Amino acid sequence: MASAGYVGILVSDPWLQNQFTQVELRSLKSCFMAMRREQGRVSIGDLPAKMSKLKVVGENLTDEERASFLIDSYQNMEDEVDFEFFLRIYLKMQAHANARMGGGVKNSSAFLKAATTTLLHTISESEKSAYAAHINSYLGGDEFLKKYLPLDPSTNDLFEVVKDGVLLCKLINVAVPGTIDERTINTKTHLNPWERNENHTLCLNSAKAIGCTVVNIGTQDIIEGRRHLVLGLISQIIKIQLLADLNLRKTPQLVELVEDGKDMEELMNLPPEKILLRWMNFQLKKAGYRKVVTNFSSDIKDGEAYSHLLNILAPEHKNPSTLSVKNLLERAKLILEHADKMGCRRYLTPSDIVEGSPNLNLAFVAHIFQHRNGLSSRQVSFIETSPDDAQVSREEEAFRLWINSLGNSTYINNVFEDVRNGWVLLEALDKVSPGIVNWKIANKPPIKLPFRKVENCNQVVKIGKQLKFSLVNIAGNDIVQGNKKLILAYLWQLMRYNILQLLKNLRFHSAKEITDGDILQWANTKVRDSGRTSRMYSFKDKSLADGIFFLELLSAVEPRIVNWSLVTNGKSDEEKKMNASYIISIARKLGCSIFLLPEDITEVNQKMILTLTASIMHWHMKKSDNDKPSGGSDSENGSSLETISNSATDDSSSEASSTEDNGNR
């Protein structure tokens, strides 16, 4: 919160900058400054009435509802509000309004969404204890963290230890090994505010990159140890870790759950928690349990499903009296004793079973699956994939994570399946280009009639053509049918359009469009002006595989960010991968939101190389704009762009112009 006196209007937090387009920021800034002009200062208590004209917040909440939300969220209504704090309140109230309207609840994963978007300031003590125990178990031997661990689950130690960002970064690496190059984590005993902010930015961008929803979490929330937000983020990271093996590639024995090819395709497209439910019911059917478990809450409260599940998986520890016990709490205790004997980590208490805690019950079942899944021990060879299939899989993951990072109401688990009704794509289009979707003719899920899905997808294609996407011979029905090649082509153009618009919005004083060629030229100019000699001839330039050019580019935009003693020569495949991993983590540490893997750099994936370069360019331009005095000239960045050719509208044109140069290298 701001102190009395001058209230800044610049947005310095990289996370907060990424939540809005420049157009939205200018609109909100005008609104905020109008409030300031009216009464000289703005307090939290002034906002309910003043926010009546804002989108979503004003349309869907009354003054009384906005006031009630703020009273529940903040202790002192007289605290003064600066522009950044105003934006945070707006985002949180917008999420509160969406939650009140039930936006996406039926279509999204409660574990992934609810903890970070409902914004309730109460936390589950059972969840806190379970996650603290999980952290103690998996990170207790970490050289840096061992001085802070084990955490005492009965205290608020967890929320204090996370404040420097180190624990969260390392927890992400436990969930998805290799996500963060730990060489980029600032691990001094005493971090200055800049170093701490870098850790938080690295953590949040990396969390997005593994599938967490972090729309309403900022670096300041971690610094202040906001318990409900921190616990929500931790719960998502742990869930991703526990469900990591629930796919056919990691656990091919899951083929036992299907009977024919059609069921196989369905299983491959299910989200991990749905596969876990199917596995649980598969085992329960073998155990003679007649009911079907459809959730990790009400369906397991009586303990019967758990008792049958553990009996079939570990009959040697079976207690015949478990099901005959009438007291549900006593029955739950016997169930956990059974689990202890088979070596399963609890994650929950007997009361959590009886009360139906969905997060902890899911974690418990996932750990049972990891420890003893009861599937065939014989080797099952999964279908071999071609390099093209692997490329498609990586692109699907990148686009899926990018769409989820937009904060839509629907969390998607499989691009090719979840976009087929058109709704997800319409939401993404509206985020990328607000107002472009005609919601009056859109059909909201659940959609039973196929032609309604086609109507949505026809609008998706129509908007794509309006945005000048290349959509030759693509119709809405192609999306409905799940045509992978066409869906990936559309999503790539949508992501690319979003990146170019972000760059254009930073150049709002100029009518000049930003092109792929501009990005290429900007990167080469920055490296050359820093005194380096590397050059990128195109986004397909095979010399980029060693990572040296991008390390020099990152060093050019932020000289202190690269530790050159950690950089390899990039000669061997292993050295290239080490450099690529370092590049990705450094970019995220700066504040770049990127969704590529080290292989995308070492194999020079043209699309992902473009997004990486553009993200670095966007960060640099945004930083340059924020570093200027308010109302300052736009000429600094403009002068560098005026020298850039406007002839290259896509990567193919920049490719053509560099063919001769490549031939002479």
Side-chain angles (χ1 to χ4, degrees):
M1 299 179 190
S3 58
Y6 173 72
V7 179
I9 58 173
L10 297 179
V11 182
S12 58
D13 187 336
W15 171 85
L16 198 55
Q17 294 167 359
N18 286 333
Q19 305 311 304
F20 303 95
T21 67
Q22 286 296 309
V23 173
E24 290 170 332
L25 278 176
R26 290 200 301 276
S27 175
L28 289 167
K29 172 183 166 184
S30 297
C31 175
F32 178 75
M33 295 309 291
M35 296 180 196
R36 290 288 317 283
R37 285 193 295 271
E38 285 181 15
Q39 55 201 73
R41 73 188 292 274
V42 180
S43 69
I44 295 175
D46 297 325
L47 294 180
K50 300 294 184 183
M51 299 177 87
S52 61
K53 295 182 180 180
L54 294 180
K55 184 179 178 182
V56 180
V57 169
E59 296 168 353
N60 299 293
L61 296 174
T62 65
D63 285 1
E64 290 76 16
E65 287 170 334
R66 289 191 291 273
S68 176
F69 173 75
L70 291 175
I71 290 170
D72 289 342
S73 303
Y74 302 99
Q75 293 181 346
N76 189 354
M77 293 295 101
E78 292 303 313
D79 279 335
E80 187 172 356
V81 178
D82 64 11
F83 184 49
E84 284 202 9
F85 190 38
F86 170 74
L87 293 178
R88 292 180 184 280
I89 292 175
Y90 171 71
L91 282 173
K92 293 180 179 182
M93 197 175 287
Q94 188 180 57
H96 176 65
N98 288 331
R100 287 288 301 275
M101 293 185 292
V105 172
K106 292 183 179 179
N107 299 312
S108 60
S109 164
F111 201 121
L112 282 171
K113 299 284 283 186
T116 56
T117 57
T118 56
L119 300 170
L120 297 175
H121 285 248
T122 57
I123 65 168
S124 164
E125 289 296 324
S126 291
E127 287 192 30
K128 183 187 75 172
S129 297
Y131 301 152
H134 180 97
I135 289 167
N136 290 339
S137 174
Y138 284 93
L139 290 172
D142 183 87
E143 192 63 31
F144 178 80
L145 292 174
K146 65 183 182 183
K147 55 190 171 187
Y148 305 110
L149 303 181
L151 299 170
D152 183 348
S154 66
T155 70
N156 286 325
D157 284 355
L158 173 62
F159 306 112
E160 291 299 317
V161 175
V162 300
K163 288 184 177 181
D164 65 6
V166 177
L167 185 147
L168 291 173
C169 286
K170 289 180 177 285
L171 189 61
I172 287 171
N173 269 0
V174 169
V176 184
T179 299
I180 296 176
D181 188 322
E182 296 202 4
R183 295 175 296 176
T184 62
I185 304 173
N186 298 318
T187 55
K188 294 190 306 186
T189 303
H190 300 291
L191 300 178
N192 61 43
W194 173 264
E195 292 167 330
R196 186 177 57 187
N197 187 71
E198 283 184 334
N199 279 352
H200 297 150
T201 304
L202 173 61
C203 162
L204 292 174
N205 280 316
S206 300
K208 280 197 293 186
I210 65 171
C212 295
T213 299
V214 297
V215 174
N216 291 297
I217 305 176
T219 58
Q220 192 64 29
D221 295 312
I222 302 175
I223 292 170
E224 295 175 5
R226 291 184 182 271
R227 302 193 305 163
H228 62 296
L229 295 175
V230 169
L231 203 64
L233 177 58
I234 290 173
S235 71
Q236 293 185 75
I237 296 169
I238 290 176
K239 182 204 172 185
I240 288 169
Q241 175 191 345
L242 292 175
L243 297 182
D245 292 338
L246 279 150
N247 60 74
L248 285 167
R249 214 162 297 282
K250 290 281 188 69
T251 311
Q253 291 81 8
L254 285 167
V255 295
E256 287 188 47
L257 306 186
V258 301
E259 296 179 358
D260 55 41
K262 185 177 180 181
D263 287 341
M264 173 76 79
E265 184 177 351
E266 179 189 350
L267 184 69
M268 291 178 69
N269 292 323
L270 285 177
E273 55 266 46
K274 295 293 184 184
I275 296 177
L276 189 63
L277 278 172
R278 179 173 285 201
W279 166 80
M280 187 174 183
N281 284 307
F282 174 79
Q283 297 296 350
L284 289 174
K285 186 177 180 181
K286 290 197 300 184
Y289 186 67
R290 296 180 179 275
K291 297 178 184 177
V292 175
V293 177
T294 62
N295 58 63
F296 294 105
S297 182
S298 58
D299 285 1
I300 48 80
K301 285 183 176 182
D302 60 11
E304 289 186 6
Y306 275 148
S307 183
H308 282 86
L309 178 66
L310 296 180
N311 285 345
I312 194 70
L313 294 176
E316 69 274 20
H317 302 302
K318 181 178 180 179
N319 185 339
S321 64
T322 300
L323 287 172
S324 62
V325 173
K326 300 302 181 185
N327 184 295
L328 296 185
L329 204 59
E330 290 301 317
R331 182 184 294 174
K333 289 179 181 178
L334 293 175
I335 288 167
L336 293 181
E337 287 176 8
H338 192 159
D340 281 342
K341 290 175 182 177
M342 58 187 281
C344 289
R345 188 170 291 108
R346 288 194 174 197
Y347 285 102
L348 75 178
T349 63
S351 61
D352 293 322
I353 295 178
V354 175
E355 293 168 8
S357 172
N359 289 356
L360 295 181
N361 278 291
L362 183 147
F364 180 55
V365 177
H367 186 69
I368 292 172
F369 175 86
Q370 282 188 342
H371 187 74
R372 189 180 299 194
N373 60 39
L375 299 174
S376 173
S377 58
R378 63 186 175 85
Q379 291 296 316
V380 179
S381 58
F382 190 61
I383 303 169
E384 292 296 325
T385 57
S386 68
D388 287 343
D389 290 335
Q391 179 77 9
V392 166
S393 178
R394 287 215 306 268
E395 289 190 8
E396 184 276 335
E397 180 181 12
F399 295 142
R400 168 167 41 88
L401 295 170
W402 171 69
I403 291 173
N404 285 333
S405 77
L406 297 175
N408 296 332
S409 67
T410 306
Y411 188 92
I412 66 172
N413 293 282
N414 182 291
V415 163
F416 303 126
E417 287 299 310
D418 295 344
V419 305
R420 289 172 61 177
N421 63 17
W423 185 260
V424 169
L425 291 175
L426 289 173
E427 284 194 312
L429 284 161
D430 193 57
K431 291 284 187 180
V432 169
S433 184
I436 202 166
V437 176
N438 183 352
W439 292 110
K440 292 181 180 179
I441 63 172
N443 304 290
K444 187 174 183 178
I447 305 173
K448 295 182 179 179
L449 299 175
F451 77 91
R452 296 295 186 193
K453 299 178 183 179
V454 175
E455 287 178 346
N456 280 354
C457 292
N458 282 341
Q459 186 179 179
V460 168
V461 173
K462 181 181 178 182
I463 293 172
K465 291 178 178 177
Q466 184 180 332
L467 297 177
K468 299 181 180 179
F469 293 177
S470 175
L471 299 173
V472 180
N473 298 323
I474 296 180
N477 196 50
D478 292 314
I479 299 174
V480 176
Q481 295 299 319
N483 186 309
K484 293 184 178 181
K485 183 177 180 181
L486 297 182
I487 289 171
L488 289 179
Y490 190 98
L491 287 174
W492 159 239
Q493 293 181 84
L494 181 58
M495 180 190 269
R496 176 179 172 274
Y497 174 84
N498 182 46
I499 293 169
L500 296 181
Q501 283 300 109
L502 288 173
L503 291 169
K504 181 184 176 184
N505 288 338
L506 288 173
R507 309 298 310 148
F508 59 85
H509 292 310
S510 171
K512 182 181 179 299
E513 295 285 342
I514 301 292
T515 69
D516 295 8
D518 292 337
I519 298 168
L520 183 75
Q521 183 66 33
W522 172 84
N524 282 323
T525 300
K526 293 304 296 183
V527 171
R528 184 191 66 218
D529 290 351
S530 71
R532 306 278 183 173
T533 59
S534 294
R535 182 180 177 189
M536 173 166 56
Y537 288 86
S538 76
F539 297 115
K540 283 184 177 180
D541 187 344
K542 293 302 181 184
S543 69
L544 299 174
D546 63 13
I548 301 299
F549 177 85
F550 289 110
L551 289 164
E552 292 184 348
L553 176 60
L554 288 162
S555 181
V557 299
E558 180 54 73
R560 58 178 291 279
I561 202 69
V562 177
N563 181 347
W564 287 100
S565 67
L566 302 177
V567 176
T568 74
N569 292 325
K571 299 300 183 184
S572 67
D573 289 345
E574 182 61 28
E575 288 183 340
K576 290 176 182 176
K577 189 170 183 179
M578 288 178 66
N579 283 352
S581 174
Y582 192 46
I583 289 164
I584 291 170
S585 289
I586 288 176
R588 288 176 180 153
K589 186 175 178 177
L590 281 180
C592 300
S593 183
I594 51 177
F595 302 94
L596 71 163
L597 296 171
E599 291 83 358
D600 292 314
I601 296 176
T602 59
E603 296 173 14
V604 193
N605 180 327
Q606 175 186 358
K607 297 174 184 176
M608 295 300 109
I609 292 292
L610 171 58
T611 63
L612 172 62
T613 313
S615 295
I616 298 170
M617 180 180 180
H618 180 250
W619 177 85
H620 176 68
M621 291 175 64
K622 189 164 55 178
K623 178 177 180 292
S624 298
D625 277 0
N626 285 340
D627 285 346
K628 296 175 197 169
S630 179
S633 169
D634 207 42
S635 60
E636 181 185 340
N637 281 327
S639 61
S640 65
L641 283 173
E642 290 302 321
T643 63
I644 296 175
S645 167
N646 194 31
S647 62
T649 57
D650 57 28
D651 192 50
S652 59
S653 56
S654 62
E655 281 265 323
S657 65
S658 65
T659 302
E660 184 176 347
D661 287 328
N662 270 318
N664 294 328
R665 294 187 71 191

